[in-house]
Amino acid sequence: MFVYLTIEGNIPSDSDYIPMSYNEIISLIEDLIERKEEKIGPEILIFIKHYRDMLRRYIVRESEIQELCRKIYQKHKKALDLIFEYKLDDLLEISRILTEMIEKDENLILDSSSKSYIRFISKNLDFIPKKGEGWTKSGRILLFEFQNFKARLSLNLIIGPGPREIREKLYDKACEKPQLFNGIAKRKLTSQWFTVYSCLFLRNYEDKNLEEIKKIIEEKFEKFKKNDLPRIEKEIKVLEVEFQDESP
């Protein structure tokens, strides 16, 4: 006699097989224990009871969970489909972490951002005339920008589009300290976006979970705020007097 044993007791394609579910197996075992417990040896009885408990815990229970999930999905299909469509991905979660870190720091101002580009400026550098065009609504010309991609997460200081005289003053000041403003590298100032500083935060982080990623980001951001940010502020702050006459 051949038995086709499945979780739900599915019908076999071969008629020579008898369909049977694990629930039926459990019923048979319990019936056997009830009728023959006194005649079964203690070691065999323990083995049979362990097998029954294992079926309940890992196979039948899983089937019940699947059935429950199926019923919930059928009842709330539209809502669940919407959740699945807009579920949070790693990049969105990292963007949220970065945004929260910036907003919690009283010295930092969050600017227009997206999942891939998270921008901010420190209050000490927010004296630059807001005459920028074609970048963010704030009109800021100089902004720190996290570039958040699957391959890497980096923090850059960028001179955005705006009046040439303002951009050239920022560029010339950065050229005085090429070790600090490591994006210069004898490059000429471009007409739109020009990176004067860059710091790598993460690279190829698919093997890390979100908590590990968050810890790395927080540690590197604190290091940046403690070391490079004050030095950058000190160098650019010198231009504040020159920019006062150009403010709107």
Side-chain angles (χ1 to χ4, degrees):
M1 182 179 293
F2 300 99
V3 174
Y4 183 56
L5 180 62
T6 61
I7 293 176
E8 302 290 345
N10 299 335
I11 303 299
S13 58
D14 190 332
S15 60
D16 289 337
Y17 284 79
I18 299 172
M20 182 171 286
S21 71
Y22 277 101
N23 270 320
E24 291 176 282
I25 296 294
I26 291 174
S27 296
L28 289 172
I29 292 174
E30 289 180 336
D31 182 64
L32 176 66
I33 292 172
E34 183 179 347
R35 291 187 298 107
K36 303 287 186 178
E37 184 170 2
E38 294 180 356
K39 298 180 180 181
I40 300 174
E43 292 182 359
I44 296 175
L45 184 63
I46 290 174
F47 174 80
I48 292 174
K49 286 183 176 180
H50 283 175
Y51 179 63
R52 176 200 60 188
D53 295 341
M54 184 272 294
L55 291 181
R56 280 178 172 170
R57 183 176 298 121
Y58 297 109
I59 298 180
V60 176
R61 176 58 180 162
E62 185 70 18
S63 175
E64 292 172 354
I65 293 173
Q66 289 176 355
E67 178 63 19
L68 177 61
C69 291
R70 185 183 66 80
K71 290 179 179 178
I72 292 173
Y73 180 73
Q74 287 179 338
K75 187 175 181 180
H76 305 286
K77 185 177 184 302
K78 289 184 178 180
L80 290 171
D81 285 346
L82 190 64
I83 291 172
F84 296 149
E85 182 179 355
Y86 291 97
K87 67 179 179 179
L88 298 179
D89 58 23
D90 288 344
L91 292 181
L92 195 59
E93 281 295 285
I94 292 173
S95 172
R96 180 187 59 80
I97 291 170
L98 295 170
T99 299
E100 288 180 355
M101 287 194 312
I102 294 167
E103 290 179 329
K104 287 179 181 178
D105 193 309
E106 295 181 353
N107 182 47
L108 303 180
I109 304 168
L110 185 68
D111 205 291
S112 299
S113 301
S114 64
K115 181 172 73 172
S116 299
Y117 301 97
I118 301 89
R119 305 179 184 96
F120 67 94
I121 192 66
S122 71
K123 291 182 179 179
N124 291 329
L125 295 179
D126 202 30
F127 59 84
I128 300 167
K130 297 178 177 61
K131 296 181 180 181
E133 297 177 355
W135 195 10
T136 70
K137 294 181 179 179
S138 68
R140 291 187 174 96
I141 295 175
L142 185 71
L143 282 170
F144 287 101
E145 180 180 84
F146 277 107
Q147 295 182 357
N148 182 29
F149 301 107
K150 279 289 184 183
R152 58 185 281 140
L153 170 68
S154 62
L155 175 59
N156 306 297
L157 179 59
I158 299 173
I159 301 174
R164 187 180 66 180
E165 59 275 13
I166 296 176
R167 300 180 80 249
E168 287 182 348
K169 286 181 180 179
L170 292 170
Y171 171 79
D172 291 340
K173 176 52 66 176
C175 286
E176 294 176 7
K177 299 285 183 177
Q179 291 184 336
L180 173 60
F181 296 98
N182 53 17
I184 295 292
K186 298 181 180 180
R187 294 162 53 227
K188 292 184 178 180
L189 180 64
T190 55
S191 60
Q192 294 292 317
W193 292 274
F194 187 88
T195 299
V196 296
Y197 168 88
S198 183
C199 177
L200 179 64
F201 271 51
L202 287 171
R203 175 180 287 165
N204 299 326
Y205 50 85
E206 290 84 356
D207 60 332
K208 295 180 174 58
N209 61 47
L210 199 59
E211 285 302 314
E212 291 175 318
I213 291 172
K214 182 179 179 181
K215 183 178 179 181
I216 293 171
I217 291 173
E218 289 176 341
E219 289 177 352
K220 292 209 169 188
F221 196 44
E222 287 302 316
K223 183 178 180 181
F224 162 76
K225 291 191 296 182
K226 181 179 179 181
N227 298 324
D228 286 358
L229 179 58
R231 295 168 62 202
I232 291 172
E233 289 177 331
K234 180 181 178 181
E235 295 300 323
I236 298 178
K237 189 75 171 174
V238 177
L239 298 173
E240 185 170 11
V241 176
E242 296 183 41
F243 285 142
Q244 283 177 351
D245 297 334
E246 298 182 30
S247 300

